[in-house]
Amino acid sequence: MAQEMRVQKFLSKAGVCSRRKAEEHMLAGHIKINGKVCKELGTQVDPSRDTVEFQGSVVRLPESYIYVLLNKPANYITSLTDPEGRPVVVDLLPKTMPRVWPVGRLDWDSEGLLLLTNDGKLTNLLTHPSHEVAKTYAVKVRGLLTESSPELETLRTGVEIGEGEVTAPAQVRLIRDNGRNTWLEIVIREGKNRQIRRMLEAIERPVMKLRRISIGPLTIDGIASGTFRSLTHAEVLDLYGEVEATIPERAQPSKRAQKREREAIERGDLPDHRAKKRKNRSK
């Protein structure tokens, strides 16, 4: 029997937008079902039978999910397209790869870890502020600081980055300095626009270089700038565990895919994530 679902859920699973945003699009007349504008929020669709359009384009659920970790270089836009013709992050992926989209953003001049997927459920869970997924950054700032500098204490307690906009407390530690500038490690659990840069502008320590090195359990280790790798199934499970959600059936790998993954791990092409966790527990 075909599985019916509300239009909002369908659009979320397809990665178009969150369910709440889908309601706004429906009320604005941006959604069509079988050629007719749909504004009824309780409308159900059958993905195998009904045609859903968003702003003139047909929307389909992916046949299988893809999860990619990319080490974004500077001077790439975190987007699928750019009207000004600048390079975008998907230019770094094979042209034969099915459509995926970035989860969250990194600025044009920022570098580091970026997750791309066609899993709309996971996208919305990871980007929803209620889940407070940790994101870790290595940041080079102008000038010398120490662990006890008042500026860092300000970041640790929360800093005003706009009119009435205050950040949650961040974890901050000093990594090293070169005699003129300082490298910091900053962990935040929210995603305000350009947050790290605005936090450091607020304490008058402008960012010279910014690199994201981890998102939740995922790290940039072993991924050269401008390259990518697939997530292992263990890593996907960990991401769903991070947001306390059940992994969907569509994200479960086939026996053939599991075999290919085991072979890639044995060759060293993919990390042995479970072995790493066992090693950490034994310490």
Side-chain angles (χ1 to χ4, degrees):
M1 180 180 292
Q3 182 182 11
E4 290 194 345
M5 64 185 76
R6 287 198 174 194
V7 176
Q8 300 95 308
K9 182 176 181 180
F10 174 86
L11 293 171
S12 174
K13 287 170 71 71
V16 172
C17 58
S18 67
R19 297 188 193 190
R20 181 174 296 179
K21 197 70 178 176
E23 292 184 352
E24 295 176 13
H25 284 300
M26 291 177 74
L27 295 174
H30 298 161
I31 309 299
K32 287 184 178 180
I33 310 296
N34 300 323
K36 296 182 179 179
V37 172
C38 176
K39 293 187 177 183
E40 295 296 326
L41 301 183
T43 302
Q44 302 265 337
V45 292
D46 178 345
S48 66
R49 184 187 64 216
D50 296 317
T51 300
V52 180
E53 294 177 68
F54 171 67
Q55 295 181 338
S57 298
V58 175
V59 178
R60 296 183 177 88
L61 295 179
E63 294 182 6
S64 61
Y65 289 139
I66 298 170
Y67 306 90
V68 172
L69 276 188
L70 172 73
N71 187 345
K72 174 192 173 299
N75 303 332
Y76 275 81
I77 298 291
T78 305
S79 180
L80 302 183
T81 59
D82 181 63
E84 298 179 29
R86 293 169 295 181
V88 294
V89 291
V90 290
D91 293 340
L92 298 165
L93 304 177
K95 295 189 183 300
T96 54
M97 182 177 287
R99 179 180 179 271
V100 292
W101 53 80
V103 179
R105 302 186 65 82
L106 280 173
D107 296 334
W108 161 262
D109 48 355
S110 297
E111 306 174 17
L113 192 63
L114 190 64
L115 174 64
L116 298 101
T117 185
N118 56 358
D119 183 342
K121 176 181 178 180
L122 185 61
T123 300
N124 292 319
L125 288 170
L126 287 174
T127 54
H128 197 282
S130 65
H131 293 294
E132 299 184 340
V133 176
K135 295 174 283 292
T136 305
Y137 300 82
V139 190
K140 182 181 181 182
V141 299
R142 194 175 304 281
L144 294 176
L145 294 165
T146 67
E147 280 287 358
S148 58
S149 292
E151 297 99 320
L152 300 191
E153 290 303 314
T154 300
L155 300 181
R156 291 171 180 140
T157 56
V159 59
E160 185 172 342
I161 58 174
E163 203 168 310
E165 191 173 12
V166 180
T167 65
Q171 295 172 242
V172 184
R173 73 178 184 91
L174 191 146
I175 301 174
R176 64 181 183 276
D177 68 67
N178 62 5
R180 292 181 300 174
N181 307 305
T182 307
W183 277 95
L184 303 171
E185 181 183 273
I186 302 178
V187 183
I188 60 174
R189 293 179 178 272
E190 51 188 350
K192 301 180 189 297
N193 184 40
R194 299 183 68 252
Q195 180 169 337
I196 296 289
R197 293 180 185 277
R198 292 165 67 196
M199 287 168 62
L200 291 161
E201 286 168 3
I203 63 168
E204 299 182 352
R205 296 288 180 171
V207 170
M208 302 177 69
K209 195 165 189 176
L210 189 152
R211 181 186 301 119
R212 183 157 62 196
I213 56 178
S214 73
I215 302 172
L218 306 178
T219 74
I220 204 170
D221 296 349
I223 309 174
S225 180
T227 68
F228 67 92
R229 69 165 176 84
S230 299
L231 263 65
T232 64
H233 184 54
E235 289 173 318
V236 177
L237 284 171
D238 280 351
L239 277 180
Y240 268 96
E242 185 80 12
V243 293
E244 300 179 342
T246 303
I247 189 169
E249 185 65 31
R250 196 182 296 263
Q252 298 285 358
S254 65
K255 289 184 178 179
R256 181 177 296 180
Q258 291 179 49
K259 181 182 178 183
R260 287 199 303 267
E261 183 174 298
R262 285 196 302 269
E263 291 171 346
I265 291 172
E266 290 170 1
R267 291 194 306 268
D269 295 338
L270 287 175
D272 190 347
H273 192 55
R274 289 302 188 207
K276 183 178 179 181
K277 291 182 73 173
R278 288 194 297 271
K279 182 179 179 181
N280 290 338
R281 284 198 298 267
S282 66
K283 289 181 177 179

